[in-house]
Amino acid sequence: MGRRLMSQKLGFIGVGVMGEPICRHLAEKSGATVIACDRDSEPLRRLEQVSVQSASMAEIASDAQIIFMSLPSGEVVERVVFGEDGLLRKLRAGQTLVDLSTSPHATAIRLATSLNDIGVQFSDAPVMRTRAAAQAGTLAVPVGADDRTFTLIEPLIRCFATDVMHAGPVGCGQVVKILNNMVVYETVLALAEARAVAVRIGMDPEKLFTAFATGSADSFALRNQGFKAILPQQFPEKAFPVTYARKDLLYAVGLAEQVGVDATGAKNLVASFDKAINAGYGDMYAPAISLVFESMTGKGS
């Protein structure tokens, strides 16, 4: 890590399921002082063990040269930046704001435009892969930024990611993340449907998924969401829930509509998420849409 970065103070806003391990990796590997804020004090107490200092959002805006946000939605990002007491009123020229959250493409563009007006650099760098990858520091991060900003923040992102891609100008990071989740969860939907059909026909779904893994239906979704969640019908809470996945898919549908694409697969998936939420599965790990189809079969295995 360069001497310039090591001498800087980093800010981190939002240390939830993904943000906490990311913040920990930054504190352990960047060599910089890290200050963080969150409404929940428990992860902040845990982060004290790696010398992360708790701070208010105002203190972060005042003291940190580079600030990361890891927040639940684009709506929350907009409140944090544009709200009455938000960052836009507190930041100053020369600082850099990096959004690790999944936000709409339009939000990234609006953030960049407004921040540029006050001399603040902005990048959308939404994280991909799982909570386990965040804990291991092996996330994948597509970055939307100009060349100068990407060069500045890439070494920091590599503290918590093994794959860092300069996807293009601001907004492109969100395009990659949103469409990635669309493709992954459309595959998850197909796996959920396939398991339900196999169960109803009387076939062992484990044999079905094992056969998929040796054939052309093999995929990341099969290896992770399929074998680890859909097959055993285990959908823990405090993972990436149905409600978050639905939010991301609505961003994908909105992006498609913006450019005149009728994303029928994504719309169908949103409808399945709605059914899962209405059935009480909204806080469960997102492949819990499988339970909607399993309830139709009357069998769980």
Side-chain angles (χ1 to χ4, degrees):
M1 194 71 61
R3 221 174 250 187
R4 181 181 169 212
L5 287 177
M6 290 176 65
S7 66
Q8 288 186 336
K9 184 173 285 189
L10 307 178
F12 207 100
I13 299 172
V15 288
V17 171
M18 300 296 278
E20 180 182 350
I22 292 171
C23 185
R24 178 179 290 106
H25 285 296
L26 281 170
E28 291 177 332
K29 301 172 186 176
S30 70
T33 299
V34 180
I35 56 177
C37 72
D38 196 278
R39 291 184 301 178
D40 185 353
S41 62
E42 186 176 338
L44 291 171
R45 283 196 297 270
R46 289 192 293 266
L47 286 166
E48 287 176 0
Q49 298 171 10
V50 291
S51 300
V52 174
Q53 303 166 19
S54 296
S56 67
M57 194 162 71
E59 289 170 332
I60 289 174
S62 172
D63 298 346
Q65 286 84 22
I66 301 174
I67 301 168
F68 293 89
M69 299 186 296
S70 180
L71 299 168
S73 69
E75 291 76 10
V76 176
V77 168
E78 293 215 11
R79 286 201 301 272
V80 165
V81 177
F82 297 120
E84 186 175 342
D85 201 33
L87 290 175
L88 190 63
R89 297 171 181 263
K90 297 178 171 65
L91 296 175
R92 62 188 182 278
Q95 290 176 290
T96 301
L97 183 64
V98 183
D99 184 16
L100 304 175
S101 325
T102 303
S103 303
H105 175 265
T107 295
I109 300 302
R110 183 183 176 206
L111 286 168
T113 300
S114 299
L115 291 166
N116 183 66
D117 288 343
I118 59 171
V120 174
Q121 300 176 80
F122 174 76
S123 170
D124 54 301
V127 299
M128 301 195 300
R129 296 182 180 150
T130 61
R131 175 176 58 172
Q135 293 167 343
T138 57
L139 292 166
V141 182
V143 180
D146 59 33
D147 290 342
R148 177 188 170 198
T149 305
F150 179 75
T151 299
L152 174 67
I153 65 176
E154 181 187 11
L156 293 171
I157 294 174
R158 290 197 179 278
C159 290
F160 54 84
T162 50
D163 294 277
V164 183
M165 170 191 179
H166 190 185
V170 166
C172 289
Q174 296 296 355
V175 171
V176 172
K177 173 62 184 289
I178 291 166
L179 297 183
N180 175 83
N181 282 16
M182 182 185 79
V183 171
V184 168
Y185 275 92
E186 285 190 38
T187 307
V188 167
L189 175 60
L191 291 169
E193 292 173 340
R195 186 192 191 279
V197 171
V199 167
R200 178 163 288 194
I201 208 72
M203 181 179 179
D204 180 351
E206 183 173 4
K207 291 183 177 179
L208 177 72
F209 279 16
T210 300
F212 284 172
T214 65
S216 55
D218 194 14
S219 66
F220 175 91
L222 173 65
R223 300 279 176 170
N224 289 273
Q225 291 93 339
F227 277 107
K228 297 175 184 179
I230 296 172
L231 181 59
Q233 293 288 276
Q234 295 177 357
F235 311 103
E237 295 186 4
K238 296 189 177 179
F240 183 67
V242 171
T243 52
Y244 279 25
R246 179 184 182 275
K247 175 259 301 179
D248 288 1
L249 264 294
L250 286 174
Y251 293 165
V253 170
L255 185 63
E257 290 176 345
Q258 178 182 323
V259 295
V261 172
D262 184 14
T264 54
K267 292 177 182 177
N268 185 45
L269 179 52
V270 170
S272 294
F273 284 136
D274 288 340
K275 290 178 183 177
I277 291 168
N278 290 336
Y281 307 139
D283 292 332
M284 300 171 79
Y285 183 34
I289 53 174
S290 172
L291 294 170
V292 173
F293 300 98
E294 296 297 331
S295 65
M296 297 176 184
T297 68
K299 301 179 183 180
S301 61

